[in-house]
């Protein structure tokens, strides 16, 4: 697969409102978008740091993967998202062929009109890995 850059770092939080003052008032970053992603049961807040984005992730349901992660003591960086140039679906086929455990067999809708898919941290050096690309227009 052809990875061109880190698209974003996902940071899991109990409350976006509670942590935004740190990112905005101390680091001087600007939140430019808040978006709920129903498919993943999260609310997201995006801040840009050069080419890379930070994606704050607040669960909107106890069933959310982020809620479960927080409940088990997870804190800070939740996942790393790589932009794939030659297609997420194709990258999943390639990864599976290399015996990487897939969480998603096919791409799903993510924030910012991206198609996303996750690889399991047990086969990615412990880093929950998201592959993403802009959603294809019909
Ligand atoms: C769990 N594990 C992690 C982890 N979450 N390791 C690294 N980073 C994480 N974030 C580890 C656990 O410590 C455990 O290791 C093992 O994975 C299995 O964990 P588990 O607790 O038994 O399993 P679950 O049921 O909690 O599921 C974990 C899994 C799940 C990663 C499969 O969270 C998942 O499906 N994630 C993908 C979807 C997701 O994260 N959505 C939220 C972001 P040990 O050694 O204890 O066995 S959505 C998003 O970001 C969108 C909006 C976007 O970017 O556009």
């Amino acid at each position: 697969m052809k990875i061109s850059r880190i698209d974003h770092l996902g940071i899991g939080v109990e409350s976006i409102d509670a942590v935004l003052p740190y990112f905005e008032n101390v680091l001087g970053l600007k939140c430019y978008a808040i978006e709920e992603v129903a498919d993943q049961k999260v609310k997201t807040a995006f801040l840009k740091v050069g080419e890379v984005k930070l994606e704050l992730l607040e669960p909107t349901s106890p069933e959310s993967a982020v809620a479960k992660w927080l409940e088990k003591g997870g804190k800070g960086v939740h996942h790393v998202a790589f932009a794939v140039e030659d297609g997420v679906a194709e990258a999943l086929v390639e990864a599976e062929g290399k015996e990487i455990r897939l969480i998603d067999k096919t791409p799903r809708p993510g924030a910012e009109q991206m198609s996303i898919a996750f690889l399991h941290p047990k086969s990615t050096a412990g880093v929950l890995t998201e592959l993403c690309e802009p959603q294809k227009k019909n």
Side-chain angles (χ1 to χ4, degrees), residues 8 10 37 40 42 44 46 55 57 64-66 68-69 72 77-79 81 103-104 108-112 114 116 118-122 126-128 130:
H8 65 265
V37 180
Q40 294 283 352
V42 290
T44 63
F46 280 92
E55 178 193 54
L57 294 158
S64 161
V66 176
K68 292 180 186 163
W69 176 78
K72 288 179 184 163
V77 176
H78 173 264
H79 67 265
I103 292 175
D104 300 304
R108 300 167 61 152
E112 301 203 299
M114 300 287 263
I116 66 171
F118 285 91
L119 307 180
H120 200 283
K122 286 291 172 196
V127 180
L128 177 59
E130 178 184 320

Side-chain angles (χ1 to χ4, degrees), residues 13-23 25 43 56 58:
V13 300
E14 301 278 359
S15 159
I16 287 172
D17 285 348
V19 301
L20 255 191
Y22 165 64
F23 290 96
N25 303 338
K43 183 167 112 177
L56 307 182
E58 176 186 309

Side-chain angles (χ1 to χ4, degrees), residues 59-133:
T60 54
S61 153
E63 299 308 310
S64 161
V66 176
K68 292 180 186 163
W69 176 78
L70 288 168
E71 200 180 316
K72 288 179 184 163
K75 276 190 177 59
V77 176
H78 173 264
H79 67 265
V80 177
F82 296 97
V84 184
E85 291 303 296
D86 46 354
V88 172
E90 293 80 354
L92 291 175
V93 171
E94 182 185 334
E96 194 166 36
K98 293 180 176 171
E99 312 213 329
I100 299 297
R101 189 166 148 196
L102 308 184
I103 292 175
D104 300 304
K105 296 266 180 200
T106 54
R108 300 167 61 152
E112 301 203 299
Q113 298 179 316
M114 300 287 263
S115 282
I116 66 171
F118 285 91
L119 307 180
H120 200 283
K122 286 291 172 196
S123 51
T124 57
V127 180
L128 177 59
T129 298
E130 178 184 320
L131 304 174
C132 63
E133 66 175 338

